[in-house]
Amino acid sequence: MSPYHPMSPRAVLGSARMAVRTSWAYRIDLASGIAGLLIQVWLLKVVWTTVYGNSTTVRGIDRTQAVSYAVLAACIQTALMPWQFSGLNARVRTGQIGIDMTRPLGLIGQVLAQNAGTLAGRLPITAIGIAWAVVIGALALPPQVGTLGLWILSTLLGVAISLILNLLVSMASFWSLEIGGYMMVYRLGSGLASGALIPLWFMPGPLATILDWLPFRAQMFTPLSIYFGTATGADAWAAIGVQAAWILILAGLLALVWHRAEHKVVVLGG
């Protein structure tokens, strides 16, 4: 069965809508997520301001850019939390995966639609975090307002890369019933390698060179580089082209892994 067989738009929207409602059903979790992000934004402003001290720029990045980068990355990362996308493990463990694989909407389509819905359900938290950052003076507007369109396009491509990577890691559940450890390593690794925790401008030379060849850079650092004007014009379009290339590569890898996983399910099911 092909993982990408035709999808009904109605079925995709239905799966995404259900995931949004599920995200909003747990009000205490939602409130704690908002409170946690507000505190995180404030702390990031304090920490990065303290780190800069009396210095105005470090490696060509001024204090305002560093603070803004840190809080904007934290707000976006809140919507991309991979912990929210590990439902595939429970399906495999309970045997629900057998039923899911027979549905008209392919399994890959189901999971991606639900993950996109979960992400959409967490966007209000991100919006509140960004509004709070503006109120306390922790987020500056991009130096060129005209780059907002490119930033939005690059951010959408970065989200697509994140969703595919999250699903690839979740696929480990076909070979291991407990993937909590994998997800923790992935969360920390992707946060560091994507520039969500520390801007890649500040990475040492050899490490920065290695990170340039990994897809994580394209999911967070590339959009933020466009937002802050360090990638403009032809450089910005080239970076967007790299993001599109990574989507194609990762989609091919996902199809390959799914092909192997599908046979694994047949073996376990007898």
Side-chain angles (χ1 to χ4, degrees):
M1 180 184 298
S2 168
Y4 300 119
H5 61 71
M7 304 177 189
S8 163
R10 185 176 180 182
V12 172
L13 290 176
S15 294
R17 192 182 303 118
M18 184 170 59
V20 172
R21 290 174 178 171
T22 301
S23 298
W24 293 349
Y26 302 98
R27 307 292 175 81
I28 294 179
D29 179 65
L30 196 62
S32 62
I34 293 172
L37 182 58
L38 297 182
I39 295 172
Q40 185 181 2
V41 167
W42 178 74
L43 285 176
L44 285 170
K45 179 187 179 186
V46 172
V47 169
W48 278 99
T49 301
T50 303
V51 167
Y52 265 69
N54 295 326
S55 302
T56 55
T57 61
V58 175
R59 294 193 178 186
I61 305 300
D62 63 37
R63 182 188 306 158
T64 301
Q65 282 181 311
V67 172
S68 297
Y69 179 103
V71 299
L72 191 55
C75 292
I76 296 174
Q77 186 74 349
T78 297
L80 295 176
M81 291 283 281
W83 296 110
Q84 305 295 326
F85 304 142
S86 55
L88 187 61
N89 183 38
R91 296 186 189 187
V92 174
R93 182 184 298 173
T94 61
Q96 175 70 31
I97 194 73
I99 299 175
D100 291 337
M101 290 173 66
T102 63
R103 298 183 191 279
L105 179 60
L107 180 66
I108 299 298
Q110 292 176 50
V111 177
L112 286 177
Q114 291 171 1
N115 290 352
T118 301
L119 185 149
R122 295 184 66 82
L123 284 181
I125 302 178
T126 295
I128 292 172
I130 291 175
W132 169 243
V134 172
V135 169
I136 65 174
L139 179 61
L141 291 173
Q144 296 178 347
V145 179
T147 62
L148 280 176
L150 281 181
W151 172 63
I152 292 173
L153 173 61
S154 181
T155 299
L156 291 175
L157 294 176
V159 167
I161 292 172
S162 297
L163 290 178
I164 298 174
L165 282 172
N166 289 338
L167 181 52
L168 271 171
V169 177
S170 297
M171 283 283 184
S173 60
F174 285 98
W175 288 270
S176 175
L177 291 179
E178 178 51 57
I179 64 169
Y182 300 144
M183 296 302 290
M184 180 177 293
V185 172
Y186 167 63
R187 179 189 180 190
L188 293 175
S190 67
L192 183 65
S194 69
L197 298 179
I198 302 173
L200 299 187
W201 297 310
F202 302 135
M203 291 293 179
L207 180 58
T209 301
I210 294 173
L211 296 180
D212 284 345
W213 289 92
L214 298 179
F216 303 105
R217 173 192 177 99
Q219 73 184 49
M220 183 68 74
F221 185 71
T222 296
L224 293 183
S225 294
I226 293 174
Y227 181 94
F228 291 105
T230 57
T232 59
D235 290 340
W237 282 109
I240 288 174
V242 170
Q243 286 182 297
W246 271 120
I247 290 175
L248 294 176
I249 293 171
L250 293 173
L253 181 60
L254 179 62
L256 178 63
V257 173
W258 167 240
H259 177 72
R260 299 292 299 272
E262 188 179 28
H263 285 281
K264 187 75 174 177
V265 172
V266 172
V267 171
L268 291 176

